[in-house]
Amino acid sequence: MFFCFFLFTIVSCRAGRQSELSEGAKSVWALDKAIKADLLKNSDSKRDFKELLPAYRQKLKPLLTGNWEKKCNADCLEMLFGDIDNVSFYSYGQAADPELPDLMRTIFRHLKAAQLASKEQGRKVRQALIKFRRFDEAREFSFAEQVEGEEIPPLKIVSPLPSSRRVIEYAADGRSLSVQSRPLGKTAVLMVASPTCHFSNAALAEIELDPELRRVLVPRLVIITPPSGVIEAAAFTDWNRLHPQFRQAQAFGDQDWPEVMNWGTPAFYFIAEGKIKAYTEGWGPAALNEIKNNLRKIGASGSR
């Protein structure tokens, strides 16, 4: 099986000799070492790393108050920025982490004042704000700091706002976003995909070429993409134009889709009465038959 996996790139930051660091900086150094070691150890499983996030949050807390100039020199701030970015990346916008984009933005401004901020760090602040669904702030930050990236469409507010199974929908022309709900039926297939993933496209192409499989999946298949800090209006609108019966929308956050074990694509969760009965990850020669077998496990028969 082959699949697309969005692994965070570990970037080494500049760092002085540990003996020269303040006590606060030594704490950052230790946290940085632990996070990078666990990232390398669990590079094949975001689920494993995600389970470590509560421990990292606890370690970060005493480091995230003010007085940066007393606690941490510029090298230490760069390292801390990278560690918060790692935690933010793997949190996927969980409600437990609303402070992370603010912390990244604060540290970025300290680095900028020291003339050490990079364009890449600015891009990561923008992505964190988008992923935590703070679109207006992301737009303002991009303008103020001249951060390059695809234009952030306005978010149209629908009332009442959905409270569960939330997704971000792109308008047909890609010029606006809205928060919608994608409920799952009693028997459902949840597909995690990406419009830019070759294997996601290959999977749907084979499904659409199989008349019986298509008939069974049209009323059942819900396709979501990983919560992301990247705006990809053209990719989403192209997919939805080409596959009107199998539209994609971006998951609003981790908390809306507890079934998802990791956000590698493609992945299929076969659900009956609210419980996962089977799971298929990746795409290869045997995947189509595996999907058909898994549909039988949820009693799929073409009616919802």
Side-chain angles (χ1 to χ4, degrees), residues 174-190:
R175 294 182 179 178
S176 65
L177 305 168
S178 62
V179 181
Q180 305 287 343
S181 181
R182 287 279 186 96
L184 299 176
K186 290 183 178 180
T187 60
V189 180
L190 177 64

Side-chain angles (χ1 to χ4, degrees), residues 162-178:
S163 59
S164 64
R165 301 294 184 194
R166 292 173 299 173
V167 294
I168 298 289
E169 293 265 16
Y170 283 83
D173 60 6
R175 294 182 179 178
S176 65
L177 305 168
S178 62

Side-chain angles (χ1 to χ4, degrees), residues 126-268:
R126 167 192 157 104
Q127 288 183 348
L129 289 166
I130 292 173
K131 185 158 56 176
F132 282 73
R133 306 316 182 196
R134 293 159 61 174
F135 295 104
D136 289 344
E137 291 178 67
R139 197 178 296 108
E140 291 168 5
F141 178 84
S142 299
F143 177 78
E145 304 297 342
Q146 298 183 331
V147 179
E148 295 180 356
E150 189 171 340
E151 182 179 352
I152 303 171
L155 181 66
K156 290 187 175 180
I157 303 300
V158 294
S159 183
L161 282 171
S163 59
S164 64
R165 301 294 184 194
R166 292 173 299 173
V167 294
I168 298 289
E169 293 265 16
Y170 283 83
D173 60 6
R175 294 182 179 178
S176 65
L177 305 168
S178 62
V179 181
Q180 305 287 343
S181 181
R182 287 279 186 96
L184 299 176
K186 290 183 178 180
T187 60
V189 180
L190 177 64
M191 178 183 181
V192 179
S194 168
T196 59
C197 171
H198 166 77
F199 302 109
S200 295
N201 283 274
L204 194 61
E206 288 197 49
I207 289 170
E208 290 186 316
L209 288 173
D210 187 310
E212 180 60 18
L213 186 57
R214 182 186 181 114
R215 181 184 69 82
V216 172
L217 285 177
V218 163
R220 292 182 173 83
L221 187 63
V222 172
I223 306 178
I224 60 173
T225 71
S228 171
V230 179
I231 299 295
E232 298 178 304
F236 274 86
T237 55
D238 285 350
W239 174 292
N240 291 337
R241 176 176 51 81
L242 293 171
H243 311 290
Q245 291 183 305
F246 296 110
R247 294 174 56 82
Q248 275 188 359
Q250 189 178 98
F252 189 88
D254 234 8
Q255 67 274 17
D256 292 278
W257 303 95
E259 299 83 1
V260 178
M261 293 183 286
N262 68 63
W263 291 97
T265 61
F268 299 82

Side-chain angles (χ1 to χ4, degrees), residues 56-67:
Y56 292 144
R57 291 187 192 104
Q58 288 301 113
K59 290 178 181 178
L60 279 170
K61 277 185 178 179
L63 304 171
L64 300 182
T65 57
N67 300 318

